[in-house]
Amino acid sequence: MKIEKQPVTLPPERSAGRRRESPVDRKTDLTATRSLSVSIIGSGGTGVVTCGKILLESIARMGLYALLARSSGPQIRGGESAIMLRLAEQPVENLDDRFDLLLALDWLHVDRFADELPVGADTIILHDSDRGDIPPCFDGATQRRIATPLTRLAEATENGRANMVGLGLLGQLLGIPLETLCTAACDLLKPKGETIVGAGLRCIEQGYAAAPPAPRPLPLSAPVVPPKRWNISGNEACGLGALQGGIRFVAAYPITPASELLEWLAPNLERLGGELVQAEDELASVNMIIGASFGGIPALTATSGPGLSLMMEGLGLAVASETPIVVSNVMRGGPSTGIPTKSEQSDLNLALYGLHGDAPHLVLAALSIRDSVFTTEWAVKLAETLQTVAIVLTDQFLGQARAVIDPPRAPGLKGSRKRAVDRTHYQRYTLTDDAVSPMAIPGDAGCMFTADGLEHDQRGTPSATAADHQQQLDKRRDKLTGFDYGDDWAEIGGAGAICLITWGSASGAVREAAERLTRSGHPTRSVALRLLSPIPEAAFRAAIADASHLLVVEQNHGGQFYDHLNARKLLPPGAGSLARPGPLPLRPGEIVNRVMQGA
Amino acid sequence: MHGPPPLPSLKPKDYKSDVKPVWCAGCGHFAVLSAITKALAQLALPREQVAVVSGIGCSSRLPAYTHVYGFHGIHGRALPLASGLKAARPELTVLVAGGDGDGFSIGGNHFIHACRRNLDLTYIVMDNQVYGMTKGQASPTTPPDWTGSRLTPHGTGLPGFNPAAIALAAGAGFIARGFSGDPGGLTELLIQGIEYPGFAFIHVLSPCITYHPEQRAWKQTVHEQSGATTADPLLAAQHLQQGDQLATGVLFRAPPPAGSATPARRQPITTDQLAARFVVPDQN
């Protein structure tokens, strides 16, 4: 054990007015958010993700909240990876501006991650003294380092692993009780067998004992009686929301970063009496779910940008034939193959405008891991109610991250399909007050009809007349624009003349930025849209009313959401755009900085 | 809410709708439509328990001409749509209808994988060796020296696609060839295909008298296969590769797929039980 330069202390609680070294810090360090940010990095096979999951579960069991994001190299499997953990007393939905603690199991290819791991001068770096010294890319943080021979300590135990020694060390520094850490490790390692569990526990204990003396305890206080909390990933949350919404058929083609969603759904659907079919391609998967839904079974596919591109013609068929389907699109860096393993909010244009013809449909975005349950369930229920396509946008950051969350809420909408009752003069596309027509399904006697992608009359018979085209176009639009989406179209927080508008997974960073600004004397509200199309325009205008300074925040290069709002003339002149592409997550500090520059 | 009980002894015309086909006078597809409705009537299938799914093309217009459930989908994707329907509602009788361009060109990948997947579907391809709806372009089954299209003025120069041989290679359990000029024989093949408990591919020679008037000669050249139906894939492959692709009959029929191919379903669960798995255990 070698401690260099400074005794170890964890960073003190942040509070408003505390000054840090860089000019950026002075602007951004306005928060009283009590949280700690920890990263663990290592090359393929070092067990970074396992460490992260055990830490997350331990923190959850202590009664705290945490977010665990993952990053891996471009090769998807087998390479270097990093976990990014933020723990707090309150739910956390986004990463902080920098890390307080960094544990390096080794330094191989770490330069590929350096820009995802912002560190400050007071960041503590824990590293394996058997695996080389801190590389130059972390020069800014070398005052506080703890070099420990993790590998040699692990070798003392048969089947011992350095990651478990590192985990013990980290657990001690974070003030996690050894028993909590060991119980969580025991539960998570159980599938690997008794030998691995035993060795893991011994290594954790060794790491725990090897931590330097008198560390500050975790500066976060856990509640005596913790409220009920969940530990769930974004992809699992989407899957659960889909099943709660009634999805019982899924067809899909594997694609990063949506595959985990499918792998979670497959065994669970089977046990619910449903089915998941692995299709030959995305053209097949979208058409399979249209077929299943035509058969009366609520159906979903999951994909990412390239797959969504392939599905566009099928989505148009579902719109024209008014067959409800849901597409869960877990976005990644684009265009083309882009950056498959990293996050970006850049499929918005495709989701909104990718269909040929005038093809109104629903586009929704989950605002957080917890909200992935609600939004996906709501999307299923809306699609079934309105007999249309619902595209739910999440992204790699949300999908592959795990979090400790409060139990998710459920939408109030009942969300069942309007079924055919009239068995004598049935007309599939008959006009109604709400523009939604009763839908027969195979098995309903007397209601046989042919669903069609061709334009049709009310009965469903193909028609190329101007009158039928106008009537059915109006109908398919009106059923979406005339529906009352209630308050769930957006989450609106705070009050103030500064208004941050955002969507999807950027919402966490935006809300934290709004809170920091408000605390620093610049009252700020945030409007995070869950329903991106159709936007309830009156409600949107009311939400941004009287704002003097508006900024639209999103994680893409082109400002796609900003353009969408402007195309609908929803923004006043002078509204700004903060559009920054992936793969780096949006951080609250950069949003605060942008507002302060513009103020 | 109960519908009327199934009418006793439905006639073929009861399975036809009142929509007038878009097909040219003399098109082979009329006879295929009639054979389908005859087969459904002979099998006495309740109309609401039958669905006909198609893609795009002249023959793909067929669902609207039937009085069962139908889905006229998009070009090349009839098989996946039908596969989704059948997987979700296995008790339905699902027919898939389309043409050679829809099934073998734009939908070629789905054709292969539908054969492999071996769901209980009956896939009826009306092969006239041409894209009729877009006014006469070469399809995958067009002879290589056919110069009837301005798009390929020197012919495609490509060997024709052999659908039955490909179906066999891809794992289809039931492969038959019929002829619209022999509606009685075609009806019989359709009945066998519908009754076969797996993927049944029925390749129907159905002339396009508008763009391939020479196909009128099929009346003389189409012939019954010489041997009996085989369950031997090697023998079937030999016949399918060496023949003139004008032999009708059940060309291959494998023993039906074993009923217990899918593993026993796991213990049922509810969504509440699934949600409960995410609850963090109480530490205290």
Side-chain angles (χ1 to χ4, degrees), chain A residues 57 60-61 179-180 183 224-226 228-232 236 240 243-244 248-249 264 267-268 270-275 277-281 283-284 287-288 290-292 294-295 297 313-314 317 321 323 402 404 420-421 423 440-445 447-454 459 461-462, chain B residues 1-4 17-19 47-53 56 61 63-75 77 79-89 91-92 106 109-111 113-114 117 263-272 274-284:
Chain A
E57 182 65 19
R61 292 180 186 191
E179 192 193 341
T180 306
T183 319
V224 180
V225 183
K228 189 175 172 187
R229 281 144 311 116
W230 289 19
N231 177 347
I232 191 168
E236 289 167 346
L240 182 67
L243 298 181
Q244 288 181 170
R248 289 297 178 272
F249 183 85
W264 185 84
N268 293 322
E270 188 185 311
R271 294 181 66 184
L272 285 166
E275 187 172 8
V277 175
Q278 181 175 332
E280 56 269 30
D281 55 33
L283 307 168
N287 281 280
M288 283 180 179
I290 293 170
F294 172 73
I297 309 297
E313 192 189 12
L317 174 63
S321 64
T323 311
R402 300 194 71 83
V404 182
V421 178
R423 302 292 173 99
I441 62 166
D444 290 347
C447 301
M448 287 79 74
F449 73 99
T450 292
D452 209 319
L454 279 172
R459 187 182 161 208
T461 306
Chain B
M1 188 172 78
H2 292 287
S17 77
D18 56 4
V19 179
R47 290 175 296 191
E48 67 275 10
Q49 296 294 335
V50 179
V52 185
V53 177
I56 293 294
R61 288 295 192 106
Y65 311 143
T66 65
H67 194 46
V68 296
Y69 279 92
F71 209 127
H72 181 209
I74 51 177
H75 199 26
R77 318 296 167 213
L79 279 170
L81 199 149
S83 299
L85 175 59
K86 182 69 186 180
R89 295 283 307 277
E91 77 283 11
L92 298 175
I106 190 169
N109 193 32
H110 308 308
F111 177 49
H113 291 280
R117 201 169 273 124
R265 294 207 168 236
R266 292 174 11 176
Q267 275 293 314
I269 197 169
T270 64
T271 51
D272 284 346
L274 281 177
R277 286 191 199 162
F278 296 110
V279 174
V280 174
D282 201 343
Q283 192 70 352
N284 301 319

Side-chain angles (χ1 to χ4, degrees), chain A residues 257-342:
Chain A
S259 296
E260 294 98 336
L261 169 51
L262 303 169
E263 287 161 356
W264 185 84
L265 279 170
N268 293 322
L269 256 177
E270 188 185 311
R271 294 181 66 184
L272 285 166
E275 187 172 8
L276 181 143
V277 175
Q278 181 175 332
E280 56 269 30
D281 55 33
E282 286 90 347
L283 307 168
S285 38
V286 69
N287 281 280
M288 283 180 179
I289 66 168
I290 293 170
S293 178
F294 172 73
I297 309 297
L300 167 145
T301 187
T303 189
S304 188
L308 186 62
S309 295
L310 287 175
M311 290 180 188
M312 284 297 146
E313 192 189 12
L315 299 185
L317 174 63
V319 168
S321 64
E322 302 196 50
T323 311
I325 56 167
V326 180
V327 181
S328 178
N329 185 62
V330 189
M331 295 181 287
R332 62 193 220 183
S336 191
T337 312
I339 312 180
T341 54
K342 295 186 197 285

Side-chain angles (χ1 to χ4, degrees), chain A residues 71 77 94 179 295 306 451 462:
Chain A
S71 180
R77 96 160 291 290
N94 57 285
E179 192 193 341

Side-chain angles (χ1 to χ4, degrees), chain A residues 452-537:
Chain A
D452 209 319
L454 279 172
E455 190 55 283
H456 41 257
D457 61 15
Q458 293 187 57
R459 187 182 161 208
T461 306
S463 167
T465 71
D468 284 331
H469 190 41
Q470 180 76 46
Q471 180 191 69
Q472 294 293 315
L473 284 170
D474 287 348
K475 170 192 191 315
R476 294 190 291 258
R477 178 198 59 202
D478 294 347
K479 68 180 180 178
L480 302 189
T481 52
F483 185 76
D484 179 7
Y485 298 93
D487 293 333
D488 292 327
W489 66 277
E491 293 294 323
I492 301 163
I498 303 170
C499 178
L500 301 176
I501 302 166
T502 192
W503 65 281
S505 76
S507 304
V510 165
R511 191 168 55 235
E512 184 170 345
E515 287 165 5
R516 288 190 196 180
L517 286 162
T518 301
R519 276 195 296 268
S520 68
H522 307 281
T524 303
R525 76 184 98 162
S526 61
V527 180
L529 277 79
R530 183 182 283 119
L531 180 62
L532 308 179
S533 186
I535 295 175
E537 299 194 355

Side-chain angles (χ1 to χ4, degrees), chain B residues 3-248:
Chain B
L7 296 171
S9 64
L10 288 173
K11 304 215 163 26
K13 70 174 171 52
D14 296 321
Y15 292 90
K16 273 192 186 165
S17 77
D18 56 4
V19 179
K20 190 176 171 296
V22 295
W23 302 324
C24 307
C27 176
H29 302 345
F30 285 104
V32 181
L33 173 62
S34 290
I36 290 172
T37 56
K38 276 183 197 150
L40 295 175
Q42 285 191 34
L43 290 165
L45 292 166
R47 290 175 296 191
E48 67 275 10
Q49 296 294 335
V50 179
V52 185
V53 177
S54 70
I56 293 294
C58 292
S59 53
S60 292
R61 288 295 192 106
L62 188 140
Y65 311 143
T66 65
H67 194 46
V68 296
Y69 279 92
F71 209 127
H72 181 209
I74 51 177
H75 199 26
R77 318 296 167 213
L79 279 170
L81 199 149
S83 299
L85 175 59
K86 182 69 186 180
R89 295 283 307 277
E91 77 283 11
L92 298 175
T93 298
V94 181
L95 312 185
V96 193
D100 39 297
D102 186 76
F104 307 144
S105 188
I106 190 169
N109 193 32
H110 308 308
F111 177 49
I112 292 168
H113 291 280
C115 292
R116 279 182 67 215
R117 201 169 273 124
N118 210 8
L119 289 171
D120 185 8
L121 299 171
T122 305
Y123 184 34
I124 304 153
V125 177
M126 288 155 259
D127 187 352
N128 54 16
Q129 305 177 339
V130 74
Y131 289 91
M133 186 143 273
T134 48
K135 298 192 179 177
Q137 294 82 21
S139 87
T141 51
T142 302
D145 56 354
W146 183 70
T147 54
S149 167
R150 277 179 288 185
L151 191 57
T152 49
H154 311 296
T156 62
L158 301 173
F161 189 94
N162 185 337
I166 288 165
L168 180 73
F174 181 100
I175 300 166
R177 187 178 292 119
F179 178 38
S180 63
D182 174 19
L186 180 58
T187 304
E188 184 51 37
L189 293 175
L190 289 167
I191 289 171
Q192 289 190 46
I194 293 167
E195 288 188 317
Y196 182 76
F199 188 78
F201 170 52
I202 302 180
H203 183 217
V204 184
L205 300 166
S206 179
C208 175
I209 46 92
T210 302
Y211 296 107
H212 273 311
E214 74 280 8
Q215 288 171 346
R216 290 178 200 271
W218 279 351
K219 265 285 189 207
Q220 285 76 48
T221 53
V222 171
H223 56 91
E224 277 186 41
Q225 64 176 336
S226 51
T229 297
T230 180
D232 176 1
L234 288 176
L235 190 62
Q238 197 176 2
H239 290 160
L240 293 176
Q241 291 289 356
Q242 290 175 347
D244 56 6
Q245 295 193 48
L246 296 174
T248 60

